[in-house]
Amino acid sequence: MIKLNRILVPTDFSDNSRLALEYAAALGERFESELHLLHVLQDVLSSVAPEPGLVLASAGDYVRELRESAEGTMQKLVESKPLAGKKVIRRVREGQPFVEIIRYARDQSIDLIVMGTHGRTGLAHVLMGSVAERVVRKAGCPVLTVRPAGHQFVMP
């Protein structure tokens, strides 16, 4: 029998990742799993264009504000309907999202990753890439991707 002790839900706070969170919450309830909620701040310091006179402390303040905002948003998610009353481990990391998701899954012995996908195709997919696709290809555990136009999860 399959045992899902730990389920990871990476989130970018989009509607697609909230739908994935609903799936993960339902699976977590069914398998009595520990839920992990992860948000990755994407290479924050490298994406800040240095301006003349920009002090490093202000970049550090910017990162701290982003982190605090992400933690606050995750707290609201934990208090929302699909997760209310459940124990959820929340983490914010910095780096490339797919790398940090895979690293976290490995470090925490995650049994399943449940993540939303934006469902981009064609040129948009080629130009923007897909975090979900990279996670599917590189993760050491199964990955369930939830498309925005997919079927709604209904408990039997």
Side-chain angles (χ1 to χ4, degrees):
M1 180 170 156
I2 295 172
K3 184 67 180 153
L4 302 175
N5 295 317
R6 292 177 198 86
I7 298 174
L8 171 61
V9 185
T11 183
D12 61 1
F13 307 126
S14 67
D15 289 340
N16 296 332
S17 62
R18 287 175 199 230
L19 183 58
L21 189 59
E22 289 179 27
Y23 273 80
L27 288 168
E29 190 172 311
R30 180 79 163 188
F31 285 93
E32 299 176 358
S33 307
E34 182 177 85
L35 291 176
H36 292 247
L37 189 59
L38 175 68
H39 177 73
V40 180
L41 300 173
Q42 184 171 336
D43 295 326
V44 176
L45 289 178
S46 65
S47 66
V48 176
E51 296 178 17
L54 178 68
V55 181
L56 279 180
S58 62
D61 291 342
Y62 178 68
V63 172
R64 186 174 51 255
E65 287 175 18
L66 285 176
R67 180 177 289 277
E68 289 171 1
S69 176
E71 289 169 352
T73 303
M74 283 200 305
Q75 179 61 35
K76 289 177 186 171
L77 283 176
V78 169
E79 294 167 356
S80 69
K81 185 179 178 183
L83 296 180
K86 294 181 175 70
K87 181 184 177 210
V88 179
I89 296 167
R90 300 172 302 225
R91 296 290 183 264
V92 176
R93 291 197 170 179
E94 295 174 37
Q96 275 190 290
F98 87 94
V99 171
E100 293 304 320
I101 292 166
I102 293 166
R103 184 175 292 145
Y104 185 90
R106 182 195 64 221
D107 293 349
Q108 299 300 316
S109 301
I110 296 296
D111 298 304
L112 176 68
I113 300 170
V114 179
M115 62 189 304
T117 179
H118 293 279
R120 293 184 185 102
T121 59
L123 186 58
H125 176 73
V126 171
L127 294 175
M128 299 180 75
S130 169
V131 172
E133 182 179 338
R134 290 176 179 165
V135 171
V136 166
R137 289 182 185 200
K138 304 284 185 179
C141 65
V143 180
L144 172 63
T145 59
V146 180
R147 291 181 52 99
H151 299 290
Q152 294 299 316
F153 189 78
V154 178
M155 290 294 286

